[in-house]
Amino acid sequence: MPPKDTFANEAIARGQLVYTKECSQCHGTAGEGGGSASLGLGVVPPDLVELSAGNGGSFPREYVRQYVLGLTKDNDSAGPMPDFARVGLRHVYPKGGADGEVLEADFEGLLDYLEAIQE
């Protein structure tokens, strides 16, 4: 059986792929906010590498999960952030199969990646 770190690295790599396809256009290639698609939004997407710093040094994994899925009181249904529970990972699965779904392994990988890029 491969070491646990191998599984963690694979999850982070998968999460980076999901991030690149679904998030980087607005949040920037390195998660710093202000990606190319954010220019016409009227708001700068948050800097995702500072999530832990803004939460006392701990990555707010469950809050991020709930926010991305549109399940927090902070979500604005008229805002620029897509409700991924509704739209799915449409850029990750453009040709069917899991199109329109948010597969748990991919979503966990995304959270692992976001946690890994914290400064």
Side-chain angles (χ1 to χ4, degrees), residues 22-23 27 48 51 61-72 75 81-89 102 107 110-111 114:
E22 297 292 340
C23 312
H27 291 281
L48 300 178
L51 295 172
R61 188 178 190 96
E62 190 55 31
Y63 176 80
V64 172
R65 171 193 309 281
Q66 298 293 316
Y67 191 85
V68 171
L69 293 175
L71 303 174
T72 72
N75 289 101
M81 176 76 174
D83 174 352
F84 285 98
R86 186 174 50 79
V87 301
L89 299 176
V102 178
F107 197 74
L110 174 62
L111 295 172
L114 292 174

Side-chain angles (χ1 to χ4, degrees), residues 27-78:
H27 291 281
T29 57
E32 71 284 355
S36 61
S38 70
L39 297 176
L41 294 177
V43 62
V44 176
D47 180 337
L48 300 178
V49 301
E50 298 290 331
L51 295 172
S52 290
N55 192 50
S58 176
F59 180 67
R61 188 178 190 96
E62 190 55 31
Y63 176 80
V64 172
R65 171 193 309 281
Q66 298 293 316
Y67 191 85
V68 171
L69 293 175
L71 303 174
T72 72
K73 63 181 178 165
D74 299 329
N75 289 101
D76 176 3
S77 61

Side-chain angles (χ1 to χ4, degrees), residues 6-30:
T6 300
F7 293 123
N9 290 338
E10 288 172 4
I12 290 169
R14 180 65 184 163
Q16 183 176 15
L17 174 67
V18 172
Y19 177 85
T20 298
K21 290 186 172 193
E22 297 292 340
C23 312
S24 66
Q25 297 82 7
C26 290
H27 291 281
T29 57

